[in-house]
Amino acid sequence: MVASDGFAEFLREQLAPLGPVTMRRMFGKTGVFCGGRMLGMVTDNTFYVRVDDQNREMFKEAASSPPLNYAKQGTTIDLAFWRVPERLFDEPDEFVAWARAALAAAHRVAAKRERPPSPKRKSPTKPA
């Protein structure tokens, strides 16, 4: 289920220190973007932040909840998005710190995807 209008507005207000935040429906959920990078997702008015190896330690508190996932062919696929602890909604500075770490992870993911392909090997020239 996508984010309600009220929850989406709440997130925009809370995440304002990061810059303009946009949201887009994706796969029955809501993607949360800043600067064109997806830092989080919302489902059932629950906010999940992007996790990678560099911010996993900071987000260890969130590891106690299941990650965002979906079912595919009878299997559950876990995504690299962890649930933000509800206590952070009362801690705006820490909430923004988590969001900054998630945004940094989003930039790292994007950088990996945008790498230019490795140069092709030249084939040996054939004598004429």
Side-chain angles (χ1 to χ4, degrees):
M1 178 180 205
V2 297
S4 69
D5 291 342
F7 191 72
E9 186 57 34
F10 168 78
L11 286 178
R12 281 189 196 93
E13 289 172 8
Q14 294 297 308
L15 299 175
L18 300 178
V21 172
T22 58
M23 297 190 194
R24 185 172 70 216
R25 289 182 180 198
M26 306 174 66
F27 316 111
K29 298 167 182 36
T30 302
V32 180
F33 296 82
C34 183
R37 304 293 185 224
M38 187 167 65
L39 67 102
M41 293 195 80
V42 176
T43 185
D44 296 324
N45 287 340
T46 302
F47 184 47
Y48 294 80
V49 289
R50 184 178 290 279
V51 178
D52 70 0
D53 290 338
Q54 292 185 35
N55 68 10
R56 194 174 311 274
E57 182 63 26
M58 179 181 183
F59 294 160
K60 66 183 176 186
E61 178 182 351
S64 62
S65 296
L68 186 61
N69 58 53
Y70 66 95
K72 182 178 180 181
Q73 298 175 348
T75 301
T76 300
I77 309 295
D78 289 339
L79 301 174
F81 291 89
W82 289 1
R83 183 179 183 166
V84 171
E86 298 228 1
R87 71 169 185 80
L88 291 182
F89 296 125
D90 295 324
E91 302 287 339
D93 292 339
E94 192 175 355
F95 184 83
V96 169
W98 277 52
R100 282 189 203 288
L103 183 56
H107 283 291
R108 289 188 291 271
V109 167
K112 285 180 186 176
R113 290 183 182 151
E114 294 170 356
R115 282 190 187 146
S118 55
K120 293 182 180 179
R121 288 179 38 188
K122 291 184 178 182
S123 55
T125 56
K126 295 181 183 178

